[in-house]
């Protein structure tokens, strides 16, 4: 196994199998690390800890549509001791490069989770690497836990984007996690270092938010039989007690599987990001997009997560429906079997910057050439109903051929031959069962 000595602080370096950190020796000079910073308790303590270990720290924050006071967080990072703090806006690329392709292939993990967190990680990682390169950082760091998926997603992206980068993951370093065994230890350290925090020792769950969704996990939610508290949900109105008593109709237009326009009595937008925000506003108002699941993490653990994915839910639902009208049956079957499942797994497992993602994304584009038209939705108390769809370009659906009230160009008499051909193998199956003494007619 390859071993290298990695400078870690003024008096120690790590001697380790590449690229993991476990022990210390002397650092010849200060080195620079780019830290993914949120302004919260964990990353504020990590920032102070890295400085304590002798690093010059450059903080990085991604504006990906979350409701956050970036200026306050930046001021906090500089006060703690960061040399610089960058706030990079990645909203537009998040919508166009990640959310829209996910809609085009109806991406979902284990048939429920719409990948809101997973979708955000590639653009965040790319922007962080760009800052690290600009600042000449030899190291990159994050606050992901050692049990979660995000450590994998970020680090695989880092290594693909800059193969020579070295990662410091504090929550996998024994010295760090043995010192900070829980939230109380972090709060005590923050108090000792004079780090201002808003967290309390009784915070009952953790959250992660972006333009597409908000996730909730840990704390009281780790018991899968504990109902989420009503005041936990941040984005959407309670479908039963707070959503409007009147439904609202929405029209979504698509070109090549991409949403290009949304309109309702309260919203009208066509710019990609504005469209996504409008979809969010409508779905949030009517309590659409909540899920509560137990999922299989990439690292092998099961995890309970609660997710709010309002706008993405209604956009995806509309797209799924439009494909029924406009997409060839065999293309749809192949796409569902290979592309949708494969692309969803790639996103969830953090393999976005990979040759297989490029291959599947090219397939997505090819599959969507005919997916043009509009879908009419009705939003009401947590539900998203499809009430109509149309396409000016698709010729796959012929109302005359499908009608029960006219013959059209379809010859019913020809169906008999179709059935006979399809029955050839089934007759042989029945004969084989009879020869084996099995009675298929006998009722259980």
């Amino acid at each position: 196994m390859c071993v290298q000595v990695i400078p870690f602080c003024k008096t120690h370096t790590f001697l380790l199998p590449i690229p993991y950190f476990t022990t210390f020796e002397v650092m010849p000079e200060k080195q620079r690390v780019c830290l993914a910073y949120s302004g919260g308790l964990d990353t504020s303590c990590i920032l102070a800890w890295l400085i304590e270990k002798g690093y010059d720290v450059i903080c990085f924050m991604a504006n990906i549509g979350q409701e956050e006071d970036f200026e306050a967080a930046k001021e906090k990072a500089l006060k703690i001791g960061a040399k610089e703090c960058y706030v990079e806006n990645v909203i537009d690329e998040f919508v166009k490069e990640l959310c829209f392709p996910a809609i085009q292939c109806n991406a979902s993990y284990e048939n429920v989770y719409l990948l809101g967190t997973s979708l955000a990680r590639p653009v965040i990682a790319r922007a962080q690497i760009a800052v690290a390169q600009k600042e000449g950082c030899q190291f990159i760091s994050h606050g992901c836990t050692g049990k979660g998926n995000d450590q994998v997603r970020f680090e695989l992206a880092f290594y693909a984007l800059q193969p020579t980068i070295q990662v410091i993951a504090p929550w996998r370093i024994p010295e760090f996690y043995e010192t900070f065994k829980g939230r109380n230890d972090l709060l005590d350290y923050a108090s000792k270092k004079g780090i201002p925090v808003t967290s309390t020792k009784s915070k009952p769950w953790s959250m992660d938010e972006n333009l597409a969704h908000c996730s909730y996990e840990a704390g009281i939610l780790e018991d899968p039989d504990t109902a989420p508290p009503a005041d936990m949900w941040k984005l959407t109105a309670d479908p039963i007690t707070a959503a409007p008593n009147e439904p609202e109709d929405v029209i979504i237009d698509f070109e090549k599987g991409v949403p290009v326009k949304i309109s309702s009595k309260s919203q009208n937008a066509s710019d990609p990001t504005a469209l996504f925000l409008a979809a969010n506003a409508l779905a949030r108002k009517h309590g659409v997009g909540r899920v509560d699941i137990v999922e299989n993490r990439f690292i092998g653990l099961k995890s309970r997560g609660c997710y709010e994915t309002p706008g993405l839910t209604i956009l995806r639902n509309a797209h799924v429906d439009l494909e029924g009208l406009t997409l060839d049956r065999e293309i749809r079957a192949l796409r569902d079997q290979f592309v949708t499942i494969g692309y969803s797994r790639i996103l969830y497992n953090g393999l976005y910057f990979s040759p297989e993602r490029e291959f599947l994304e090219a397939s997505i584009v090819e599959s969507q050439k005919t997916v043009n038209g509009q879908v009419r939705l009705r939003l009401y108390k947590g539900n998203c109903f499809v009430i109509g769809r149309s396409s000016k370009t698709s010729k796959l659906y012929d109302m005359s051929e499908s009608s029960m009230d006219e013959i059209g160009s379809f010859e019913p008499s020809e169906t008999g031959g179709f059935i006979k051909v399809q029955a050839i193998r089934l007759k042989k199956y029945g004969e084989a069962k009879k020869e084996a003494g099995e009675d298929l007619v006998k009722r259980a």
Side-chain angles (χ1 to χ4, degrees):
M1 180 178 289
C2 186
V3 174
Q4 69 178 28
V5 176
I6 296 183
F8 185 73
C9 65
K10 292 178 180 178
T11 58
H12 297 85
T13 61
F14 285 126
L15 181 65
L16 66 156
I18 297 175
Y20 301 107
F21 300 102
T22 52
T23 55
F24 301 109
E25 268 182 33
V26 178
M27 174 190 284
E29 61 183 38
K30 275 197 173 185
Q31 297 201 40
R32 297 167 77 81
V33 56
C34 181
L35 170 66
Y37 184 70
S38 69
L41 176 62
D42 286 34
T43 55
S44 293
C45 288
I46 290 171
L47 168 57
W49 188 77
L50 288 169
I51 294 171
E52 186 179 280
K53 294 300 178 183
Y55 283 101
D56 283 340
V57 183
I58 308 299
C59 284
F60 161 83
M61 301 181 70
N63 177 358
I64 197 159
Q66 69 272 39
E67 296 175 1
E68 190 168 320
D69 189 339
F70 292 104
E71 284 305 311
K74 181 176 181 178
E75 182 180 339
K76 181 177 179 179
L78 296 174
K79 183 178 181 180
I80 293 170
K83 295 298 180 181
E84 184 57 84
C85 183
Y86 288 79
V87 179
E88 301 295 302
N89 189 317
V90 295
I91 294 174
D92 288 345
E93 59 200 86
F94 174 54
V95 171
K96 291 185 281 189
E97 296 181 37
L98 274 300
C99 293
F100 281 0
I103 292 168
Q104 285 180 296
C105 75
N106 306 324
S108 70
Y109 182 70
E110 297 184 338
N111 301 314
V112 182
Y113 173 42
L114 299 191
L115 299 157
T117 299
S118 313
L119 289 166
R121 294 333 187 202
V123 291
I124 294 174
R126 184 170 62 193
Q128 186 177 359
I129 282 289
V131 169
Q133 291 175 342
K134 179 180 178 180
E135 288 288 339
C137 296
Q138 300 89 357
F139 300 86
I140 203 159
S141 185
H142 58 74
C144 302
T145 71
K147 290 186 176 182
N149 288 318
D150 274 346
Q151 58 180 334
V152 180
R153 294 167 181 154
F154 279 122
E155 292 182 35
L156 291 181
F158 294 152
Y159 291 132
L161 293 165
Q162 185 174 327
T164 58
I165 198 69
Q166 298 174 73
V167 176
I168 300 174
W171 286 114
R172 294 204 306 267
I173 299 173
E175 180 193 336
F176 187 88
Y177 65 69
E178 287 172 3
T179 300
F180 304 107
K181 293 182 172 66
R183 205 158 192 80
N184 289 353
D185 292 330
L186 290 168
L187 287 164
D188 292 340
Y189 181 77
S191 177
K192 175 184 173 183
K193 291 290 183 179
I195 299 171
V197 294
T198 56
S199 303
T200 68
K201 295 188 178 183
S202 60
K203 184 178 180 181
W205 56 75
S206 65
M207 295 191 316
D208 181 76
E209 183 186 358
N210 61 50
L211 187 74
H213 94 152
C214 189
S215 65
Y216 310 86
E217 62 181 8
I220 62 173
L221 299 176
E222 288 176 351
D223 179 353
D225 200 31
T226 295
D231 63 349
M232 180 194 76
W233 303 102
K234 178 182 179 182
L235 302 183
T236 56
D238 187 295
I240 299 172
T241 64
N245 292 322
E246 294 296 323
E248 184 167 2
D249 291 354
V250 183
I251 299 174
I252 301 174
D253 290 83
F254 291 86
E255 291 180 6
K256 297 182 179 179
V258 175
V260 294
K261 184 181 179 182
I262 187 169
S263 54
S264 73
K265 64 182 182 182
S266 62
Q267 299 287 337
N268 199 311
S270 56
D271 170 80
T273 299
L275 185 156
F276 206 95
L277 287 168
N280 269 344
L282 288 162
R284 290 172 70 163
K285 174 182 175 182
H286 291 276
V288 175
R290 295 183 179 186
V291 296
D292 177 352
I293 63 173
V294 175
E295 67 198 70
N296 291 294
R297 285 180 174 171
F298 186 29
I299 63 170
L301 300 174
K302 283 188 179 290
S303 171
R304 192 268 188 94
C306 299
Y307 302 104
E308 287 180 289
T309 317
L312 190 59
T313 295
I314 67 172
L315 293 172
R316 180 182 181 275
N317 285 2
H319 178 266
V320 169
D321 183 81
L322 185 61
E323 284 191 331
L325 181 68
T326 61
L327 191 57
D328 177 82
R329 180 183 72 178
E330 296 305 316
I331 291 177
R332 188 175 192 178
L334 287 169
R335 194 280 316 279
D336 287 350
Q337 184 176 0
F338 299 108
V339 180
T340 298
I341 293 174
Y343 192 73
S344 300
R345 187 177 294 119
I346 283 170
L347 289 170
Y348 189 82
N349 293 347
L351 297 167
Y352 181 81
F353 296 104
S354 66
E356 58 268 34
R357 189 272 305 174
E358 292 183 354
F359 169 75
L360 289 179
E361 240 176 45
S363 300
I364 292 171
V365 172
E366 185 66 25
S367 74
Q368 296 296 291
K369 289 181 177 179
T370 63
V371 185
N372 307 300
Q374 72 173 210
V375 177
R376 294 187 296 117
L377 305 174
R378 180 162 292 161
L379 309 182
Y380 182 65
K381 291 192 175 295
N383 293 291
C384 175
F385 303 104
V386 175
I387 58 174
R389 77 286 294 163
S390 61
S391 174
K392 295 179 179 179
T393 60
S394 178
K395 305 299 180 184
L396 294 175
Y397 180 83
D398 187 314
M399 192 162 60
S400 175
E401 283 184 340
S402 301
S403 176
M404 296 296 181
D405 296 324
E406 59 179 290
I407 298 297
S409 60
F410 185 87
E411 289 289 344
S413 61
E414 295 176 355
T415 307
F418 172 79
I419 294 171
K420 287 181 180 179
V421 172
Q422 293 296 315
I424 291 173
R425 67 183 184 90
L426 298 180
K427 286 181 178 181
K428 294 185 181 297
Y429 164 77
E431 290 168 357
K433 286 289 187 180
K434 186 175 182 180
E435 290 176 5
E438 296 183 41
D439 188 353
L440 294 177
V441 178
K442 185 177 180 180
R443 300 170 69 181

